[in-house]
């Protein structure tokens, strides 16, 4: 297997994988924190880092996995309409939020 390159963020508003503490995204990329899925509350991100996508059985959807520990974090939805941007939907319980946020462990 190849060498693993991981993007590391500096600053107080970084969301991390709850399993391995790999940096995944920043607060400014959250579009919505009010989404509710079948597995619980979801965050909608416009951009995520240190993740990879795995094809799903559903069209317009892929699973989002952590690049370091391969934990399933949520889903990536590709919009069929060009005016609506594609988003990453990440389970809130799979994230370790920034210090002082509701998601801090």
């Amino acid at each position: 297997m190849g060498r693993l390159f991981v993007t590391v963020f500096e600053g107080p508003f970084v969301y991390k994988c709850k399993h391995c503490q790999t940096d995944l995204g920043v607060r400014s990329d959250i579009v919505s924190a009010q989404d509710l899925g079948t597995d619980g509350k979801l965050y909608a991100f416009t951009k995520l880092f240190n993740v990879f996508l795995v094809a799903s059985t559903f069209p317009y959807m892929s699973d989002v996995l952590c690049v370091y520990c391969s934990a399933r974090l949520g889903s990536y939805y590709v919009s069929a309409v060009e005016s609506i941007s594609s988003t990453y939907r990440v389970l809130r319980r799979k994230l370790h939020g920034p210090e002082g946020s509701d998601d801090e462990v």
Side-chain angles (χ1 to χ4, degrees):
M1 198 155 147
R3 183 177 287 181
L4 180 66
F5 292 97
V6 177
T7 303
V8 178
F9 296 107
E10 293 183 14
F13 303 116
V14 177
Y15 284 86
K16 300 175 180 277
C17 175
K18 194 172 255 187
H19 303 286
C20 64
Q21 300 300 311
T22 301
D23 295 350
L24 298 174
V26 293
R27 183 182 289 173
S28 61
D29 291 333
I30 294 178
V31 178
S32 172
Q34 305 300 325
D35 294 347
L36 190 60
T38 57
D39 294 336
K41 291 184 178 182
L42 301 170
Y43 281 144
F45 284 87
T46 55
K47 291 186 283 188
L48 280 182
F49 301 89
N50 301 324
V51 296
F52 63 96
L53 304 176
V54 177
S56 176
T57 57
F58 300 107
Y60 306 114
M61 190 171 96
S62 298
D63 289 334
V64 177
L65 304 177
C66 175
V67 74
Y68 193 79
C69 68
S70 298
R72 184 181 180 279
L73 302 171
S75 300
Y76 176 71
Y77 293 93
V78 180
S79 176
V81 181
E82 289 184 22
S83 62
I84 301 172
S85 64
S86 301
T87 56
Y88 296 90
R89 307 280 178 167
V90 179
L91 290 167
R92 185 174 173 181
R93 61 185 167 87
K94 297 281 187 169
L95 294 177
H96 176 70
E99 194 174 312
S101 72
D102 292 340
D103 303 316
E104 185 182 7
V105 176

